[in-house]
């Protein structure tokens, strides 16, 4: 009877197959939507002359863009579905509950209602400002909840850098919209500085994520892990320094080649600025380092079933410029998954109260007196 009751309670607290496969599909859909819609479609605009010259290129870019738009709708639907499941589970079970749910749950529900309402009634400037302020308030409570549950400095630095980075974009977008609403033509105070600082903090967060969730200490007693750690550190350091001083070496070796590489870099920067909001004003090596650290960490965590892997993947795939509402919801969902991650893996959540170990006496060796 007790075992049947425990199984029933475990099934109630379990996230369920819909949540498990929904999160997996969401991560894949968001990744391909980023590639095919936000990046490839912008690349087609950048290569408009080539597309006009070759019909096959035009049809190819048009097909990829259409597929990317379909993935955008699929991603938005999955974000709504997973956020709805999280809210229901937070209301039903204590395992999913957080210390700040009395603020997180109503703000999340209100954000979802506003998003649905804006689908039927496109927001004006005032609606955009209200939506950004609402999202900013929700992010504050999610970050406070994360800091309360996680004591490691590296993890707090990761989420703090990410939050301040996104705050730079929210400040830039909100204040600029307010000035436009008031018909003020002057530039808002510190708006460009906040935008650039936010981008730098986002790049920093993408590098710190490796320290917080993906790294293995090189001081471990395991020789194999220490060997892999040193190899990764040395190879990554050499590649980083090579990219950092690539322009100097190319200018010294072949100035014309250096000029062509700079033009190619400007084109790549334009595509990423239109798709994700990154201007690439920092040295290119930092962006490559951030992408490498983020990709390694997300793949590692996803393979072992950690919810943090899915959360980190959604947070950074949303990009820096949250120009679409579902991108804001992806950031919110990512932080929620980071908070839930401490309570278990994707397939099964841990119980808050664990049973103590039952003492069992060790049997004596044969011939030894008891």
């Amino acid at each position: 009877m007790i075992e049947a009751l425990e199984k029933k309670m475990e099934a109630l607290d379990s996230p369920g197959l819909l949540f498990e496969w929904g999160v997996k599909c969401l991560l894949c859909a968001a990744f391909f939507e980023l590639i095919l819609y936000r990046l490839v479609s912008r690349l087609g605009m950048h290569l408009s002359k080539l597309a006009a010259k070759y019909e096959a290129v035009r049809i190819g870019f048009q097909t990829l863009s259409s597929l990317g738009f379909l993935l955008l709708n699929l991603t938005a639907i999955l974000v709504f579905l997973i956020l709805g499941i999280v809210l229901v589970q937070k209301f039903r079970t204590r395992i999913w509950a957080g210390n700040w749910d009395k603020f997180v749950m109503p703000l999340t529900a209100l954000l979802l209602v506003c998003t649905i309402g804006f689908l039927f009634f496109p927001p004006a400037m005032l609606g955009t400002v209200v939506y950004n302020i609402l999202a900013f308030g929700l992010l504050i409570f999610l970050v406070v909840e994360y800091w309360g549950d996680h004591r490691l400095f590296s993890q707090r630095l990761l989420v703090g850098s990410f939050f301040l980075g996104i705050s730079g974009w929210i400040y830039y977008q909100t204040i600029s919209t307010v000035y436009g609403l008031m018909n003020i033509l002057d530039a808002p105070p510190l708006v460009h500085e906040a935008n650039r600082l936010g981008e730098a903090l986002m790049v920093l967060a993408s590098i710190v994520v490796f320290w917080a969730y993906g790294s293995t200490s090189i001081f471990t007693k395991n020789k194999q892990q220490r060997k892999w750690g040193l190899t990764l550190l040395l190879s990554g350091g050499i590649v980083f320094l090579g990219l950092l001083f690539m322009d100097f070496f190319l200018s010294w070796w072949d100035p014309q080649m250096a000029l062509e590489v700079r033009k190619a870099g400007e084109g790549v920067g334009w595509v990423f600025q239109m798709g994700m909001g990154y201007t690439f004003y920092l040295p290119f090596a930092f962006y490559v380092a951030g992408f490498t650290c983020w990709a390694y960490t997300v793949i590692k965590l996803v393979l072992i079933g950690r919810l943090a892997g899915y959360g980190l993947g959604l947070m950074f795939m949303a990009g820096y410029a949250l120009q679409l509402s579902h991108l804001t919801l992806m950031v919110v969902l990512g932080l929620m998954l980071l908070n839930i991650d401490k309570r278990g893996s994707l397939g099964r959540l841990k119980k808050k109260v664990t049973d103590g170990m039952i003492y069992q006496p060790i049997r004596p060796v044969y011939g030894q007196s008891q």
Side-chain angles (χ1 to χ4, degrees):
M1 183 67 180
I2 297 177
E3 293 181 358
L5 182 61
E6 289 181 351
K7 289 183 179 179
K8 186 176 180 179
M9 293 299 296
E10 184 178 348
L12 180 65
D13 294 336
S14 174
L17 291 177
L18 180 61
F19 175 81
E20 180 178 350
W21 286 101
V23 170
K24 293 179 179 179
C25 293
L26 173 59
L27 186 68
C28 295
F31 175 74
F32 287 109
E33 181 265 334
L34 168 64
I35 300 298
L36 298 179
Y37 183 73
R38 283 186 277 159
L39 297 183
V40 171
S41 61
R42 270 68 176 185
L43 183 61
M45 294 168 58
H46 190 64
L47 301 177
S48 58
K49 294 183 179 180
L50 183 63
K53 184 177 181 181
Y54 298 99
E55 185 67 16
V57 175
R58 186 189 65 81
I59 295 176
F61 275 113
Q62 186 176 2
T63 303
L64 292 176
S65 298
S66 301
L67 181 59
F69 184 74
L70 177 64
L71 288 170
L72 182 145
N73 293 326
L74 176 62
T75 301
I77 293 173
L78 289 174
V79 169
F80 273 94
L81 174 65
I82 303 303
L83 275 175
I85 294 176
V86 171
L87 290 179
V88 171
Q89 288 295 102
K90 279 180 172 291
F91 181 77
R92 290 175 59 190
T93 65
R94 295 181 59 189
I95 294 180
W96 290 67
N99 298 328
W100 295 87
D101 278 353
K102 58 183 178 180
F103 300 104
V104 170
M105 292 180 65
L107 286 176
T108 305
L110 185 57
L111 195 67
L112 289 175
V113 171
C114 290
T115 304
I116 296 175
F118 289 160
L119 293 177
F120 299 97
F121 306 99
M125 289 186 178
L126 182 59
T128 302
V129 172
V130 172
Y131 190 87
N132 289 334
I133 295 176
L134 181 62
F136 180 72
L138 177 57
L139 292 178
I140 289 177
F141 289 113
L142 290 174
V143 171
V144 171
E145 180 181 343
Y146 182 90
W147 277 22
D149 294 336
H150 297 77
R151 302 296 180 180
L152 290 179
F153 173 75
S154 58
Q155 295 180 350
R156 288 187 170 187
L157 178 62
L158 162 65
V159 173
S161 301
F162 180 86
F163 170 71
L164 292 177
I166 287 294
S167 300
W169 163 257
I170 294 177
Y171 174 80
Y172 169 79
Q173 188 180 38
T174 304
I175 298 299
S176 300
T177 306
V178 169
Y179 269 52
L181 183 63
M182 299 174 63
N183 293 322
I184 300 177
L185 301 179
D186 296 334
L190 301 177
V191 65
H192 296 293
E193 291 79 2
N195 188 26
R196 286 180 171 266
L197 179 61
E199 180 177 342
L201 289 172
M202 287 288 290
V203 175
L204 174 63
S206 65
I207 298 175
V208 175
V209 70
F210 176 76
W211 179 25
Y213 283 97
S215 62
T216 301
S217 176
I218 61 176
F219 301 104
T220 179
K221 295 182 179 180
N222 190 316
K223 294 183 178 179
Q224 188 67 21
Q225 290 183 358
R226 187 166 63 247
K227 178 182 177 181
W228 278 109
L230 290 173
T231 302
L232 180 63
L233 181 62
L234 291 176
S235 59
I238 292 174
V239 173
F240 176 78
L241 292 176
L243 290 174
L244 189 61
F245 295 100
M246 179 177 62
D247 186 75
F248 170 76
F249 290 126
L250 287 178
S251 300
W252 177 71
W253 178 261
D254 190 348
Q256 184 62 31
M257 182 182 296
L259 181 61
E260 295 296 330
V261 171
R262 291 193 200 104
K263 291 181 179 180
E266 292 176 358
V268 172
W270 183 85
V271 171
F272 274 86
Q273 182 179 6
M274 295 293 294
M276 299 184 70
Y278 292 105
T279 61
F280 278 57
Y281 79 95
L282 296 173
F284 183 69
F286 289 101
Y287 295 93
V288 175
F291 173 77
T292 304
C293 293
W294 168 80
Y296 172 84
T297 305
V298 169
I299 292 174
K300 176 183 176 180
L301 295 177
V302 167
L303 289 179
I304 62 178
R306 290 279 300 275
L307 284 169
Y310 296 90
L312 293 171
L314 295 176
M315 287 164 57
F316 285 94
M317 281 192 292
Y320 176 55
L322 306 179
Q323 298 176 347
L324 301 175
S325 58
H326 80 283
L327 300 180
T328 304
L329 296 179
M330 282 172 58
V331 173
V332 171
L333 178 59
L335 285 172
M336 285 185 172
L337 294 179
L338 282 184
N339 291 331
I340 301 173
D341 173 74
K342 199 171 184 180
R343 304 180 184 116
S345 59
L346 178 61
R348 183 177 181 181
L349 298 180
K350 300 176 183 177
K351 296 181 180 179
K352 283 191 173 182
V353 181
T354 57
D355 297 332
M357 295 181 62
I358 301 177
Y359 173 74
Q360 295 181 353
I362 303 175
R363 296 182 179 181
V365 182
Y366 179 76
Q368 182 179 351
S369 58
Q370 299 184 17

